[in-house]
Amino acid sequence: MTVSERIQRRFGKASVEFRLIEDGDKILVGLSGGKDSLCLLELLAKRSRVHRPQFSVEAAHIRMENIHYETDASYLQSFCDKLGVPLHVITTRLSPPTTQAKKKPMCFLCSWQRRKQLFNLAQELGCNKIALGHHQDDIIHTALMNLTFEGQFSAMPALLRMKKMPLTIIRPLCLCEEADIRIFAEQQNYRKLLKQCPYEHETSRTAIHEIFLRMQQLNKETRYSIWNALKAAGKLTEY
């Protein structure tokens, strides 16, 4: 089985297993410009052309004018045009953190601001779901971070229904491994970001990533053990 076939199969399996996509859905994809979001948008756009389930896809790219995180907007527009997906580009900025927010990492504050813009746009467009490009590695790393620093066993669920707004967050790449997505991106000739986020290495996620690699060296089944534990504990869906 090729990497492309494996990714598509796992994408389809996740959609069915967690009931991520249903008839009548209008899905807004958070398009950061990285390999994961590009892969997600391509898979969803192509899947939307299949007879069932019937759903539509739009994409949103959030630009932070005071964070030096550069993407090629013309490339993203061309990418979306080829897929027949409308692209919405929103420019916002990260406000100076309040006294309480100063305790949070800049990466968290920036991510939350982007997410807030996605929530607002989704409701303006009449979308009922927001699709994010987190893959299985992201979800497992989050579980390890929460266990290590928060003292709780939780992760980013594959499906999360928001309680304060009529939106559901879905992560259709939840069964895909990052290594496969990286190879797929190279095969598809995805253009890389012009400049990475300046805060991406200032969080504990990099250290957790290295720890997870070490755990996999100790036991090659580590990935599946953690994933099955999250699934058994009901941490992959939240209604």
Side-chain angles (χ1 to χ4, degrees):
M1 182 185 300
T2 66
V3 168
S4 177
E5 291 171 338
R6 184 161 57 243
I7 284 180
Q8 292 182 61
R9 178 172 293 187
R10 291 180 177 178
F11 167 82
K13 181 181 178 182
S15 299
V16 173
E17 181 177 345
F18 298 106
R19 300 181 64 182
L20 303 182
I21 305 172
E22 298 173 305
D23 271 327
D25 281 345
K26 186 173 182 180
I27 303 173
L28 180 65
V29 178
L31 185 64
S32 68
K35 67 183 189 310
D36 306 326
S37 64
L38 291 171
C39 174
L40 173 61
L41 183 61
E42 181 171 347
L43 291 174
L44 278 172
K46 291 180 177 179
R47 184 69 180 84
S48 69
R49 301 190 190 113
V50 178
H51 186 60
R52 285 282 185 266
Q54 292 187 332
F55 65 97
S56 61
V57 180
E58 300 196 25
H61 177 62
I62 313 299
R63 302 181 73 91
M64 303 293 288
E65 62 182 11
N66 57 336
I67 299 291
H68 300 296
Y69 175 87
E70 298 178 24
T71 56
D72 186 340
S74 62
Y75 171 70
L76 295 183
Q77 186 64 66
S78 174
F79 188 85
C80 289
D81 289 344
K82 289 179 181 178
L83 294 172
V85 174
L87 173 64
H88 307 271
V89 179
I90 296 178
T91 300
T92 185
R93 61 184 295 109
L94 185 62
S95 302
T98 61
T99 301
Q100 184 175 3
K102 285 181 180 179
K103 299 178 182 179
K104 301 287 186 180
M106 285 295 291
C107 185
F108 171 87
L109 298 175
C110 181
S111 176
W112 174 245
Q113 177 65 12
R114 292 174 187 273
R115 196 74 56 87
K116 186 166 65 173
Q117 295 296 327
L118 278 178
F119 292 159
N120 292 339
L121 179 62
Q123 293 178 90
E124 289 175 11
L125 296 174
C127 296
N128 64 315
K129 290 181 179 177
I130 294 176
L132 301 177
H134 298 118
H135 44 66
Q136 191 176 64
D137 294 64
D138 287 327
I139 294 173
I140 290 175
H141 292 170
T142 299
L144 292 174
M145 287 182 67
N146 290 342
L147 189 62
T148 302
F149 298 105
E150 303 294 336
Q152 58 182 355
F153 189 55
S154 62
M156 299 181 292
L159 183 145
L160 169 63
R161 286 188 180 160
M162 306 297 292
K163 294 180 173 59
K164 296 183 178 180
M165 57 190 76
L167 292 171
T168 298
I169 293 177
I170 59 173
R171 296 181 168 92
L173 298 182
C174 63
L175 296 181
C176 298
E177 298 181 21
E178 181 179 19
D180 280 348
I181 296 176
R182 184 177 294 110
I183 294 173
F184 181 77
E186 292 173 355
Q187 293 174 343
Q188 298 298 101
N189 294 315
Y190 290 163
R191 188 175 298 177
K192 294 184 179 180
L193 296 172
L194 298 177
K195 188 174 183 180
Q196 300 286 347
C197 173
Y199 301 108
E200 65 177 341
H201 296 299
E202 293 184 11
T203 70
S204 301
R205 191 168 289 273
T206 301
I208 290 295
H209 172 71
E210 294 172 356
I211 290 172
F212 180 58
L213 291 177
R214 177 59 177 157
M215 292 172 70
Q216 288 184 298
Q217 292 174 355
L218 292 172
N219 176 18
K220 62 181 181 180
E221 299 297 322
T222 292
R223 171 186 300 275
Y224 308 107
S225 296
I226 296 175
W227 186 260
N228 289 334
L230 287 168
K231 187 175 180 180
K235 303 299 182 181
L236 297 178
T237 53
E238 188 173 328
Y239 297 97

